[in-house]
Amino acid sequence: MRVTDGLEERLAERDGRILTRSLDPGSKVYGERLHSRNGAEWREWSLQRSKPAAFMARGGELPLRRDDRLLYLGAASGTTASHFSDLLDRGTVYCVEVSPRSFRDLVTVCGRRRNMLPVMGDAGRPQDLAFAVEGASVVYQDVAQKGQASMLAENMRAFGAERGMLALKSRSEDVTAAPAKILERAVAKLESEGLSVVDVRMLEPYEKDHAMVVVRA
Ligand SMILES: C[S@@+](CC[C@H](N)C(=O)[O-])C[C@H]1O[C@@H](n2cnc3c(N)ncnc32)[C@H](O)[C@@H]1O
């Protein structure tokens, strides 16, 4: 696994498992296993339930820093966002979610973590998120809907982000087209928006028909 420079104290691999150092010791978010290591508590990051973990298992490197302001679009109940919260102990994770049901669980997770803020809203309308989000250095997007590449580009622009990660679900773009074709179109769209695509990985066998695309502004 490739650990980004500066994240060594927050992200580790042990016996083939990916671990994040917990910001909320003694507490689980989704039933993950907890491990003690060097006097600290570490949470196992599920490759099957969290796409950034699958991305790392496929050789990818997270474009994150401990002091990032991360705008997370499609946070659901906070499974993946809680691991980002572990990593960005000097930063902030703004968690945007549109579904009231998921948002309720998200609020509970955020309430236990000093760097995680819940934002109820539509990621397709960045202007409506500005009341809660001052700006972002990085955007992570995982919303299963059409127009995923445009949505990432628009949010990066609106919040001045220099880095972005898109968890692309090809079936949400077009159920009839091959995932490789959808990925090709998404990459072309991101580039046409002026972004540089720095890494692309399919997430099989952990997530079917999903890719992770990393971009820079
Ligand atoms: C695949 S799930 C996200 C899983 C989550 N990222 C994780 O790894 O823990 C997609 C989420 O995006 C949310 N979503 C879909 N469209 C959205 C939108 N326009 N704005 C905000 N959230 C949206 C859905 O309600 C759902 O919770």
Side-chain angles (χ1 to χ4, degrees), residues 14-42:
R14 194 168 69 175
D15 303 331
R17 297 189 170 90
I18 299 178
L19 308 172
T20 60
R21 185 172 176 157
S22 182
L23 264 197
D24 181 20
S27 167
K28 297 182 181 187
V29 175
Y30 58 104
E32 70 277 17
R33 285 178 63 188
L34 304 176
H35 300 258
S36 287
R37 185 179 192 244
N38 303 336
E41 187 174 282
W42 294 73

Side-chain angles (χ1 to χ4, degrees), residues 191-202:
E191 287 174 342
S192 77
E193 297 273 4
L195 297 167
S196 305
V197 173
V198 297
D199 195 8
V200 177
R201 283 166 207 268
M202 298 304 291

Side-chain angles (χ1 to χ4, degrees), residues 49 51 72 74-76 78-80 96-99 102 121-124 142-145 151:
R49 295 193 51 188
K51 290 154 204 149
Y72 191 129
T79 299
T80 296
V96 177
E97 176 52 53
V98 77
S99 150
S102 298
D122 179 353
D142 181 15
V143 303
Q145 68 175 59
M151 184 187 274

